[in-house]
């Protein structure tokens, strides 16, 4: 052992003090006293000093000895924390690494805005499985639907409960906001779709027409040209309040299309059909019957409102024109089991200010937007997540990292990542540029994760689970 003279002197002084503390006073034959005397004779200078004296009468050697386990525990805790941080930030690029460019839209070393553990809030209140979640396009509000038949409103920033919407008599399977967030649509196994005024939290209309469970509902945003026309028409005519319209003999829903930013609602059902509903009148205006089994999911291309995608138990993803004749654009085949979820890129609707600023983007940014707008993601019970190109009707990537059914997918607003959740209780982030799983949040919920939703600008992702909770995840 290599010690300096000072360290050796301190050690001898500490040992001498310890031996004296253990010896019996007045007993010259005590082994500890004999050992202390021998050490004092061998090193009288160190043992005669008061270096080893400690406050409280506890020998300094004992204090140092007991401090070692405490320091070892602290080292282990710090090592575990470092390992967890290394796992979270393992793929963070310092200067344009793989994935940083896609997430940032071009520059490396910037925040990629992908979910990280732990959850910022765990929202409790449902008495049944949470089947669906969504976020308000404007406010810091999240909405969840459950098997308990209720819809709950939460503030995802503070984690506070806001309100419960009651009206359905069976499981709520889907919740969706209009482009501006003025109204909410919910669908249920009670064969109804309900439209809610999100200012008053009142149900203003119930839509009926499906013959079985209504799995999914989505509003189709008005394109900018139609939105301008609607606003011009509404500006020249008389105005009617929501209450007046609801109580009128015409049976109107009372929804101002120009204010809502959406004129059409699309729904998918276990009766194998997809229906389009006029938001103003509440009437079904078109029905698609191309699927041969339960239609479980519908996605709307929020960026322009021009396309919708439907999928379900027949494993086929079908893309349609959302307006006009609503012709089939393409069929995407490849999944080997039920497809649970489908999604276009998360984007602001044409009614938002963010969408209006797109026209001011540079040529390279416009090209990137065109590329990501063409993306379509899907996830299913074959445990795979797939990314498709709608224009070429081809599968670009297939990821099989999940260990159980994939229940929900979203495409990151940057177009650089696909985020998925499933029955393996995890939330996973796939990097499109590097074609790999970039981050895994294992044990995101203690039970199956049923649904995830992401805001197009706010750094928040929410998830719902069979554990009856909603979790809010911050992005880094």
């Amino acid at each position: 052992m290599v010690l300096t003279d000072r360290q050796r002197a301190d050690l001898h002084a500490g040992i001498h003090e310890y031996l004296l503390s253990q010896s019996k006073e007045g007993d010259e034959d005590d082994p500890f006293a004999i050992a202390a005397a021998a050490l004092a004779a061998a090193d009288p200078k160190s043992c005669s000093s008061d270096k080893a004296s400690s406050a409280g009468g506890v020998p300094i050697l004992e204090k140092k000895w007991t401090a070692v386990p405490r320091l070892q525990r602290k080292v282990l805790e710090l090592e575990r924390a470092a390992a967890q941080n290394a796992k979270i930030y393992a793929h963070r690029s310092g200067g344009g690494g793989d994935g940083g460019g896609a997430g940032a839209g071009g520059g490396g070393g910037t925040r990629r805005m992908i979910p990280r553990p732990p959850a910022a809030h765990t929202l409790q209140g449902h008495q049944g499985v949470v089947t669906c979640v969504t976020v308000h396009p404007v406010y810091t509000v999240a909405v969840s639907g459950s098997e308990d038949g209720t819809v709950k409103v939460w503030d995802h920033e503070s984690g506070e409960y806001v309100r419960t919407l009651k009206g359905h008599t069976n499981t709520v399977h889907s919740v969706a906001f209009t482009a501006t967030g003025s109204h909410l649509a919910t669908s249920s196994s009670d064969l109804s779709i309900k439209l809610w005024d999100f200012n008053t939290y009142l149900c203003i209309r119930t839509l009926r027409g499906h013959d079985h469970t209504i799995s999914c509902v989505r509003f189709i945003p008005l394109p900018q040209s139609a939105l301008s026309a609607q606003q011009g028409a509404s500006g020249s005519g008389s105005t009617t309040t929501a209450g007046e319209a609801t109580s009128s003999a015409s049976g109107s829903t009372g929804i101002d299309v120009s204010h809502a930013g959406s004129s059409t609602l699309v729904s998918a059902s276990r009766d194998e059909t997809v229906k389009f509903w006029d938001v103003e009148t509440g009437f079904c205006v078109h029905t698609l019957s191309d699927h041969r089994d339960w239609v479980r999911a519908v996605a709307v291309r929020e960026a322009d409102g021009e396309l919708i995608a439907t999928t379900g138990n027949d494993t086929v993803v079908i893309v349609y024109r959302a307006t006009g004749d609503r012709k089939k654009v393409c069929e995407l085949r490849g999944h080997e089991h039920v497809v649970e979820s489908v999604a276009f890129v998360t984007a602001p609707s044409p009614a938002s200010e963010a969408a209006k600023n797109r026209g001011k983007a540079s040529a390279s940014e416009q090209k990137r937007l065109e590329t990501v707008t063409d993306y379509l993601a899907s996830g299913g019970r074959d445990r795979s997540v797939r990314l498709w190109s709608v224009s070429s009707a081809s599968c670009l990537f297939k990821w099989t990292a999940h260990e159980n059914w994939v229940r929900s997918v979203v495409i990151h607003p940057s177009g650089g990542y696909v985020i998925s959740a499933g029955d393996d209780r995890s939330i996973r982030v796939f990097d499109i540029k590097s074609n790999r799983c970039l981050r895994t949040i294992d044990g995101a919920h203690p039970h199956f994760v049923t649904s995830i939703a992401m805001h197009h600008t706010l750094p928040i992702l929410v998830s719902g689970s069979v554990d009856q909770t909603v979790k809010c995840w911050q992005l880094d």
Side-chain angles (χ1 to χ4, degrees):
M1 181 163 50
V2 180
L3 295 175
T4 65
D5 291 339
R6 182 174 179 179
Q7 289 172 333
R8 187 176 296 107
D10 289 343
L11 178 60
H12 289 173
I15 295 173
H16 183 259
E17 182 193 29
Y18 175 74
L19 292 172
L20 289 176
S21 70
Q22 298 299 312
S23 64
K24 296 178 181 178
E25 189 175 353
D27 186 357
E28 296 180 358
D29 295 328
D30 181 75
F32 286 103
I34 294 171
L39 182 58
D43 189 358
K45 185 178 179 181
S46 300
C47 297
S48 62
S49 68
D50 59 352
K51 292 181 181 179
S53 60
S54 59
V58 179
I60 190 125
L61 193 65
E62 288 188 27
K63 292 186 71 175
K64 289 188 175 181
W65 186 268
T66 55
V68 169
R70 290 199 303 270
L71 292 173
Q72 286 177 332
R73 283 196 297 271
K74 185 156 187 152
V75 167
L76 289 174
E77 290 172 3
L78 291 172
E79 285 178 345
R80 280 195 292 268
Q84 180 66 18
N85 289 334
K87 186 176 180 181
I88 294 173
Y89 300 107
H91 305 292
R92 182 182 289 278
S93 58
D98 55 15
T110 57
R111 296 180 66 190
R112 297 172 303 190
M113 308 305 288
I114 57 178
R116 61 170 174 83
H121 303 290
T122 299
L123 313 178
Q124 298 177 321
H126 282 293
Q127 301 302 311
V129 171
V130 178
T131 56
C132 52
V133 292
T134 191
V135 290
H136 194 281
V138 180
Y139 306 120
T140 59
V141 169
V143 172
S144 58
S146 169
E147 287 186 359
D148 62 13
T150 67
V151 176
K152 290 189 181 293
V153 183
W154 317 84
D155 186 316
H156 61 65
E157 187 174 50
S158 65
E160 294 180 355
Y161 162 79
V162 177
R163 199 178 185 95
T164 296
L165 308 182
K166 296 181 179 180
H168 287 291
T169 58
N170 210 327
T171 300
V172 178
H173 288 284
S174 183
V175 288
F177 280 107
T178 57
T180 60
S182 62
H183 294 79
L184 177 75
T186 59
S187 68
S188 169
S189 290
D190 63 9
L191 311 188
S192 74
I193 299 168
K194 291 186 179 292
L195 302 180
W196 307 80
D197 185 325
F198 210 66
N199 292 318
T200 62
Y201 299 109
L202 297 176
C203 178
I204 58 175
R205 188 66 181 259
T206 298
L207 312 180
R208 299 185 184 275
H210 281 291
D211 299 325
H212 212 317
T213 295
I214 305 171
S215 311
C216 191
V217 287
R218 293 289 183 269
F219 284 99
I220 300 175
L222 286 168
Q224 190 59 48
S225 56
L227 193 62
S228 300
Q230 286 282 352
Q231 289 171 341
S234 62
S236 60
S238 61
T239 59
T240 307
T241 66
E244 291 171 344
T246 305
S247 60
S248 67
S250 65
S252 168
T253 62
I255 296 180
D256 182 348
V257 171
S258 61
H259 176 58
S262 306
S263 63
T264 307
L265 178 75
V266 60
S267 60
S269 170
R270 194 173 180 177
D271 64 11
E272 304 178 13
T273 67
V274 176
K275 291 183 180 290
F276 293 81
W277 307 82
D278 187 298
V279 167
E280 285 187 297
T281 65
F283 295 147
C284 176
V285 294
H286 197 92
T287 300
L288 302 173
S289 305
D290 293 314
H291 285 282
R292 295 181 295 176
D293 207 333
W294 187 345
V295 188
R296 288 183 175 269
V298 173
V300 174
R301 195 161 78 180
E302 298 283 350
D304 53 21
E306 292 184 359
L307 297 177
I308 69 163
T310 61
T311 191
N313 283 24
D314 60 7
T315 75
V316 183
V317 179
I318 306 178
V319 181
Y320 298 94
R321 292 289 175 192
T323 56
D325 54 12
R326 299 188 173 92
K327 283 186 177 180
K328 185 188 299 183
V329 175
C330 64
E331 290 187 0
L332 307 175
R333 299 177 182 270
H335 280 285
E336 300 168 359
H337 206 330
V338 172
V339 184
E340 292 275 356
S341 179
V342 65
F344 287 98
V345 66
T346 304
S349 69
S352 68
E353 288 298 321
K356 294 173 184 177
N357 292 332
R358 282 185 169 187
K360 304 174 184 178
S362 63
S364 60
E365 179 65 8
Q366 288 284 5
K367 185 176 180 180
R368 189 191 68 82
L369 289 171
E370 290 175 7
T371 299
V372 302
T373 302
D374 186 55
Y375 286 159
L376 179 68
S378 60
R381 296 185 183 178
D382 59 4
R383 305 183 183 183
S384 73
V385 176
R386 294 171 185 260
L387 183 69
W388 311 83
S389 167
V390 174
S391 60
S392 64
S394 62
C395 181
L396 302 176
F397 299 104
K398 174 186 175 183
W399 297 290
T400 56
H402 279 282
E403 299 171 3
N404 209 332
W405 293 357
V406 179
R407 299 288 292 274
S408 186
V409 295
V410 297
I411 300 180
H412 192 277
S414 69
Y417 312 101
V418 176
I419 306 173
S420 60
D423 285 359
D424 59 2
R425 308 177 189 184
S426 73
I427 296 175
R428 297 176 188 266
V429 181
F430 298 96
D431 187 344
I432 295 173
K433 185 177 180 181
S434 61
N435 186 24
R436 64 189 173 106
C437 183
L438 183 65
R439 178 173 295 175
T440 300
I441 303 177
D442 286 316
H445 284 265
H447 215 312
F448 302 157
V449 187
T450 57
S451 179
I452 54 174
M454 191 174 189
H455 196 275
H456 55 81
T457 53
L458 297 178
I460 190 70
L461 179 138
V462 295
S463 61
S465 170
V466 174
D467 66 11
Q468 304 182 6
T469 68
V470 176
K471 289 193 176 185
C472 305
W473 305 87
Q474 292 183 335
L475 312 183
D476 69 0

